[in-house]
Amino acid sequence: MAEKIVSGLWLTLFLTVAAQAIGTAGGILLAAMSISPNGLLKAVSAFYIWIFRGTPALIQIIFWFNIALVFPNIFIGVPWTSIGVSYPTNSLITPLVTAVVALGLNEAAYMAEIVRGGLLSVDSGQREAAASIGLTHSKALRYIILPQALRAIIPPTGNELISMLKNTSLVSVIAAQELLTSMQQIYAMNFLTIELLIVASIWYLILTTLATIAQGFLERWLARTDRARPKPALYAVLWKRSARSKAL
């Protein structure tokens, strides 16, 4: 029994980290698209967020698990040619893959709004100044805006990580063998339902407490590095440009 619980615990941690990583990367991309001057990118970002934030995560998990009903085979090949290989969808979309994909894509919609809020918290003069020294939109975002927005992004991201940790229990509907599924399989044999649900709750409490402590350390580290920074990032860029022009 202990071995099964530990196995479920590790899978819960893996799902949390993998889905949050996908969600964070997707959220940054969607947020960048939403503040882009390109209208098409804005529309795609808004549509994605509307779909994935507007439907329950449980429905999305069940949808991806049954995607083979819509696409029985997945073809991987050279675009606009018949060269490639085809695989049965059910052999690729396992419960574990479904859990990572469904939770990650759902999380990206929420992270997009968090990142967008952080980016908008940076003074608009920073963007104008970056444009005035010739930085493109993507370079200004990467070197000027995003580093300053991190302090506003980290705290809600920590909350999302804790929510993700608990949301992994949703994948028990597709028997993904995470912590809650392991508990369900055990109490189906020994009928110690309440006892094992309490054990599962204790493990979730331990994990969320550790995540909260880690979030606190990260916030304090960011605050310390921000205080130690001698000049704002934009000032540093302008200073380097000025020094370079003087050298020429």
Side-chain angles (χ1 to χ4, degrees):
M1 183 173 76
E3 185 180 347
K4 200 169 187 61
I5 292 174
V6 171
S7 173
L9 195 61
W10 280 116
L11 189 57
T12 294
L13 288 172
F14 171 76
L15 284 177
T16 303
V17 173
Q20 187 65 40
I22 292 173
T24 302
I28 292 173
L29 178 63
L30 289 167
M33 291 167 64
S34 69
I35 64 170
S36 164
N38 188 309
L40 178 61
L41 294 179
K42 280 185 177 180
V44 171
S45 174
F47 181 75
Y48 182 98
I49 294 170
W50 175 65
I51 287 289
F52 282 88
R53 206 173 56 159
T55 53
L58 184 59
I59 291 179
Q60 294 173 30
I61 291 169
I62 296 172
F63 173 82
W64 288 112
F65 188 61
N66 292 284
I67 193 67
L69 298 176
V70 183
F71 302 104
N73 295 290
I74 294 177
F75 180 78
I76 302 173
V78 181
W80 300 292
T81 69
S82 59
I83 302 172
V85 291
S86 178
Y87 296 97
T89 303
N90 279 331
S91 66
L92 296 177
I93 308 298
T94 63
L96 178 61
V97 172
T98 300
V100 172
V101 170
L103 292 175
L105 294 181
N106 178 263
E107 181 63 19
Y110 290 91
M111 282 303 302
E113 289 299 272
I114 290 173
V115 176
R116 188 174 69 88
L119 297 178
L120 293 179
S121 70
V122 179
D123 189 82
S124 60
Q126 299 280 310
R127 295 182 182 82
E128 295 166 2
S132 70
I133 60 173
L135 293 183
T136 62
H137 177 74
S138 60
K139 284 185 177 179
L141 187 67
R142 194 180 348 155
Y143 297 120
I144 307 294
I145 310 300
L146 196 55
Q148 297 181 66
L150 273 180
R151 288 192 62 188
I153 293 173
I154 291 297
T157 301
N159 287 333
E160 284 298 311
L161 180 66
I162 292 171
S163 296
M164 176 63 72
L165 186 57
K166 294 181 290 184
N167 284 342
T168 55
S169 62
L170 292 175
V171 302
S172 62
V173 297
I174 56 173
Q177 304 297 321
E178 42 66 59
L179 182 58
L180 183 58
T181 304
S182 300
M183 295 294 182
Q184 288 173 331
Q185 291 176 347
I186 295 170
Y187 70 61
M189 294 185 290
N190 61 16
F191 304 105
L192 298 174
T193 305
I194 299 300
E195 291 84 347
L196 285 166
L197 286 178
I198 291 173
V199 172
S201 300
I202 290 172
W203 273 115
Y204 282 119
L205 281 171
I206 291 172
L207 294 176
T208 53
T209 302
L210 292 175
T212 304
I213 293 171
Q215 178 188 348
F217 276 115
L218 184 57
E219 288 180 18
R220 282 195 289 276
W221 178 76
L222 280 174
R224 187 177 60 183
T225 54
D226 187 66
R227 284 195 299 271
R229 189 179 298 154
K231 302 178 183 67
L234 179 58
Y235 184 85
V237 172
L238 291 172
W239 184 82
K240 286 180 181 176
R241 291 263 173 148
S242 173
R244 194 181 305 159
S245 63
K246 286 179 182 176
L248 295 174

